[in-house]
Short mmCIF file of all heavy atoms in Angstrom, two decimals:
data_model
loop_
_atom_site.label_atom_id
_atom_site.label_comp_id
_atom_site.label_asym_id
_atom_site.label_seq_id
_atom_site.Cartn_x
_atom_site.Cartn_y
_atom_site.Cartn_z
N ALA A 164 -121.88 -133.02 93.03
CA ALA A 164 -121.22 -132.11 92.09
C ALA A 164 -119.78 -131.81 92.52
O ALA A 164 -118.86 -131.76 91.69
CB ALA A 164 -122.03 -130.81 91.97
N ALA A 165 -119.58 -131.62 93.83
CA ALA A 165 -118.22 -131.32 94.32
C ALA A 165 -117.27 -132.47 94.04
O ALA A 165 -116.09 -132.25 93.71
CB ALA A 165 -118.27 -131.04 95.82
N GLU A 166 -117.74 -133.71 94.16
CA GLU A 166 -116.90 -134.87 93.89
C GLU A 166 -116.54 -134.95 92.41
O GLU A 166 -115.42 -135.32 92.05
CB GLU A 166 -117.62 -136.15 94.33
CG GLU A 166 -117.83 -136.24 95.84
CD GLU A 166 -118.76 -137.37 96.23
OE1 GLU A 166 -119.47 -137.89 95.34
OE2 GLU A 166 -118.78 -137.73 97.42
N ILE A 167 -117.49 -134.58 91.55
CA ILE A 167 -117.23 -134.59 90.10
C ILE A 167 -116.17 -133.55 89.75
O ILE A 167 -115.26 -133.80 88.95
CB ILE A 167 -118.54 -134.32 89.33
CG1 ILE A 167 -119.52 -135.48 89.55
CG2 ILE A 167 -118.25 -134.15 87.84
CD1 ILE A 167 -120.89 -135.24 88.96
N ILE A 168 -116.27 -132.37 90.35
CA ILE A 168 -115.28 -131.32 90.10
C ILE A 168 -113.90 -131.77 90.59
O ILE A 168 -112.90 -131.62 89.88
CB ILE A 168 -115.69 -130.02 90.82
CG1 ILE A 168 -117.00 -129.49 90.23
CG2 ILE A 168 -114.59 -128.97 90.70
CD1 ILE A 168 -117.62 -128.36 91.03
N ALA A 169 -113.84 -132.31 91.80
CA ALA A 169 -112.57 -132.78 92.35
C ALA A 169 -111.97 -133.86 91.45
O ALA A 169 -110.75 -133.87 91.19
CB ALA A 169 -112.77 -133.31 93.77
N LYS A 170 -112.80 -134.77 90.96
CA LYS A 170 -112.32 -135.84 90.09
C LYS A 170 -111.75 -135.27 88.79
O LYS A 170 -110.71 -135.72 88.30
CB LYS A 170 -113.46 -136.81 89.77
CG LYS A 170 -113.05 -137.97 88.87
CD LYS A 170 -114.23 -138.91 88.62
CE LYS A 170 -113.80 -140.06 87.70
NZ LYS A 170 -114.95 -141.00 87.46
N SER A 171 -112.41 -134.26 88.23
CA SER A 171 -111.96 -133.65 86.99
C SER A 171 -110.59 -132.99 87.16
O SER A 171 -109.69 -133.18 86.34
CB SER A 171 -112.98 -132.61 86.51
OG SER A 171 -112.51 -131.92 85.38
N ILE A 172 -110.45 -132.22 88.23
CA ILE A 172 -109.17 -131.53 88.46
C ILE A 172 -108.09 -132.53 88.84
O ILE A 172 -106.94 -132.42 88.40
CB ILE A 172 -109.34 -130.46 89.55
CG1 ILE A 172 -110.32 -129.39 89.06
CG2 ILE A 172 -108.00 -129.83 89.91
CD1 ILE A 172 -110.69 -128.34 90.11
N ARG A 173 -108.46 -133.54 89.65
CA ARG A 173 -107.51 -134.59 90.02
C ARG A 173 -106.95 -135.30 88.78
O ARG A 173 -105.76 -135.58 88.68
CB ARG A 173 -108.19 -135.59 90.95
CG ARG A 173 -107.25 -136.63 91.55
CD ARG A 173 -108.03 -137.70 92.28
NE ARG A 173 -108.85 -137.17 93.35
CZ ARG A 173 -110.19 -137.27 93.40
NH1 ARG A 173 -110.85 -137.87 92.40
NH2 ARG A 173 -110.85 -136.80 94.42
N ARG A 174 -107.84 -135.57 87.84
CA ARG A 174 -107.41 -136.25 86.61
C ARG A 174 -106.42 -135.39 85.82
O ARG A 174 -105.44 -135.90 85.28
CB ARG A 174 -108.64 -136.58 85.75
CG ARG A 174 -108.28 -137.26 84.42
CD ARG A 174 -109.54 -137.70 83.68
NE ARG A 174 -109.21 -138.25 82.37
CZ ARG A 174 -108.73 -139.48 82.18
NH1 ARG A 174 -108.53 -140.28 83.21
NH2 ARG A 174 -108.46 -139.90 80.96
N ARG A 175 -106.66 -134.11 85.78
CA ARG A 175 -105.74 -133.21 85.06
C ARG A 175 -104.37 -133.18 85.73
O ARG A 175 -103.34 -133.06 85.05
CB ARG A 175 -106.33 -131.81 84.99
CG ARG A 175 -107.60 -131.71 84.15
CD ARG A 175 -108.02 -130.27 84.00
NE ARG A 175 -107.01 -129.52 83.25
CZ ARG A 175 -106.97 -128.19 83.19
NH1 ARG A 175 -107.88 -127.47 83.84
NH2 ARG A 175 -106.02 -127.58 82.50
N ILE A 176 -104.35 -133.30 87.05
CA ILE A 176 -103.07 -133.34 87.76
C ILE A 176 -102.34 -134.64 87.44
O ILE A 176 -101.14 -134.64 87.13
CB ILE A 176 -103.29 -133.20 89.28
CG1 ILE A 176 -103.84 -131.81 89.61
CG2 ILE A 176 -101.98 -133.45 90.04
CD1 ILE A 176 -104.26 -131.63 91.06
N VAL A 177 -103.06 -135.76 87.49
CA VAL A 177 -102.45 -137.07 87.22
C VAL A 177 -101.92 -137.15 85.80
O VAL A 177 -100.86 -137.73 85.54
CB VAL A 177 -103.49 -138.19 87.47
CG1 VAL A 177 -102.96 -139.53 86.97
CG2 VAL A 177 -103.82 -138.29 88.96
N LEU A 178 -102.64 -136.55 84.85
CA LEU A 178 -102.22 -136.59 83.44
C LEU A 178 -101.11 -135.59 83.13
O LEU A 178 -100.58 -135.57 82.01
CB LEU A 178 -103.42 -136.33 82.53
CG LEU A 178 -104.51 -137.40 82.52
CD1 LEU A 178 -105.67 -136.99 81.62
CD2 LEU A 178 -103.93 -138.75 82.06
N GLY A 179 -100.78 -134.75 84.10
CA GLY A 179 -99.71 -133.78 83.88
C GLY A 179 -100.17 -132.50 83.22
O GLY A 179 -99.34 -131.64 82.88
N GLU A 180 -101.47 -132.34 83.03
CA GLU A 180 -101.99 -131.11 82.44
C GLU A 180 -101.88 -129.95 83.43
O GLU A 180 -101.74 -128.79 83.04
CB GLU A 180 -103.44 -131.29 82.01
CG GLU A 180 -103.62 -132.34 80.90
CD GLU A 180 -105.08 -132.64 80.62
OE1 GLU A 180 -105.96 -131.94 81.18
OE2 GLU A 180 -105.36 -133.58 79.86
N LEU A 181 -101.96 -130.28 84.70
CA LEU A 181 -101.70 -129.33 85.77
C LEU A 181 -100.48 -129.81 86.53
O LEU A 181 -100.43 -130.97 86.94
CB LEU A 181 -102.91 -129.22 86.71
CG LEU A 181 -104.16 -128.55 86.15
CD1 LEU A 181 -105.33 -128.72 87.12
CD2 LEU A 181 -103.91 -127.07 85.88
N ARG A 182 -99.51 -128.93 86.71
CA ARG A 182 -98.27 -129.31 87.36
C ARG A 182 -98.10 -128.61 88.70
O ARG A 182 -98.77 -127.61 88.98
CB ARG A 182 -97.08 -129.00 86.44
CG ARG A 182 -97.13 -129.74 85.11
CD ARG A 182 -95.90 -129.48 84.26
NE ARG A 182 -95.98 -130.18 83.00
CZ ARG A 182 -95.65 -131.46 82.83
NH1 ARG A 182 -95.22 -132.16 83.87
NH2 ARG A 182 -95.73 -132.03 81.65
N GLU A 183 -97.20 -129.16 89.50
CA GLU A 183 -96.94 -128.57 90.81
C GLU A 183 -96.60 -127.09 90.67
O GLU A 183 -95.78 -126.70 89.84
CB GLU A 183 -95.79 -129.30 91.51
CG GLU A 183 -95.52 -128.79 92.91
CD GLU A 183 -94.47 -129.59 93.64
OE1 GLU A 183 -93.76 -130.37 92.97
OE2 GLU A 183 -94.36 -129.45 94.87
N GLY A 184 -97.27 -126.27 91.47
CA GLY A 184 -97.04 -124.84 91.44
C GLY A 184 -98.00 -124.07 90.57
O GLY A 184 -98.12 -122.84 90.69
N ASP A 185 -98.71 -124.77 89.67
CA ASP A 185 -99.71 -124.09 88.84
C ASP A 185 -100.84 -123.57 89.71
O ASP A 185 -101.23 -124.20 90.70
CB ASP A 185 -100.30 -125.05 87.80
CG ASP A 185 -99.34 -125.36 86.67
OD1 ASP A 185 -98.27 -124.71 86.60
OD2 ASP A 185 -99.64 -126.26 85.87
N THR A 186 -101.38 -122.43 89.33
CA THR A 186 -102.52 -121.86 90.03
C THR A 186 -103.79 -122.16 89.25
O THR A 186 -103.84 -121.97 88.03
CB THR A 186 -102.37 -120.34 90.19
OG1 THR A 186 -101.18 -120.06 90.94
CG2 THR A 186 -103.57 -119.75 90.93
N LEU A 187 -104.80 -122.66 89.93
CA LEU A 187 -106.08 -122.93 89.28
C LEU A 187 -106.76 -121.62 88.88
O LEU A 187 -106.47 -120.57 89.46
CB LEU A 187 -106.99 -123.73 90.22
CG LEU A 187 -106.54 -125.13 90.62
CD1 LEU A 187 -107.62 -125.79 91.49
CD2 LEU A 187 -106.24 -125.99 89.41
N PRO A 188 -107.64 -121.67 87.90
CA PRO A 188 -108.40 -120.46 87.55
C PRO A 188 -109.14 -119.91 88.76
O PRO A 188 -109.31 -120.59 89.78
CB PRO A 188 -109.38 -120.97 86.48
CG PRO A 188 -108.71 -122.17 85.88
CD PRO A 188 -107.98 -122.82 87.03
N SER A 189 -109.60 -118.68 88.65
CA SER A 189 -110.31 -118.04 89.76
C SER A 189 -111.60 -118.78 90.08
O SER A 189 -112.11 -119.55 89.25
CB SER A 189 -110.66 -116.59 89.40
OG SER A 189 -111.62 -116.57 88.35
N GLU A 190 -112.12 -118.54 91.28
CA GLU A 190 -113.37 -119.18 91.66
C GLU A 190 -114.48 -118.85 90.67
O GLU A 190 -115.27 -119.72 90.29
CB GLU A 190 -113.78 -118.74 93.08
CG GLU A 190 -112.98 -119.39 94.18
CD GLU A 190 -113.59 -119.12 95.55
OE1 GLU A 190 -114.54 -118.30 95.62
OE2 GLU A 190 -113.14 -119.74 96.53
N ALA A 191 -114.53 -117.59 90.24
CA ALA A 191 -115.58 -117.18 89.31
C ALA A 191 -115.49 -117.97 88.00
O ALA A 191 -116.51 -118.44 87.46
CB ALA A 191 -115.48 -115.68 89.02
N ASP A 192 -114.25 -118.14 87.51
CA ASP A 192 -114.06 -118.88 86.25
C ASP A 192 -114.44 -120.35 86.42
O ASP A 192 -115.08 -120.95 85.54
CB ASP A 192 -112.62 -118.77 85.78
CG ASP A 192 -112.29 -117.38 85.24
OD1 ASP A 192 -113.24 -116.64 84.93
OD2 ASP A 192 -111.09 -117.06 85.15
N LEU A 193 -114.05 -120.95 87.54
CA LEU A 193 -114.37 -122.36 87.77
C LEU A 193 -115.86 -122.57 87.98
O LEU A 193 -116.43 -123.56 87.53
CB LEU A 193 -113.57 -122.88 88.97
CG LEU A 193 -112.07 -123.08 88.75
CD1 LEU A 193 -111.36 -123.40 90.07
CD2 LEU A 193 -111.81 -124.19 87.74
N MET A 194 -116.50 -121.63 88.67
CA MET A 194 -117.96 -121.73 88.87
C MET A 194 -118.68 -121.69 87.52
O MET A 194 -119.62 -122.45 87.28
CB MET A 194 -118.44 -120.59 89.77
CG MET A 194 -118.06 -120.76 91.24
SD MET A 194 -118.13 -119.20 92.17
CE MET A 194 -119.82 -118.68 91.86
#
């Protein structure tokens, strides 16, 4: 599951949906 989550967020970074300096949602929201 952790690898799937990392892959999902990694993909958003590569696609530019998440940019340098952006803060990810809180742990509670991501969980």
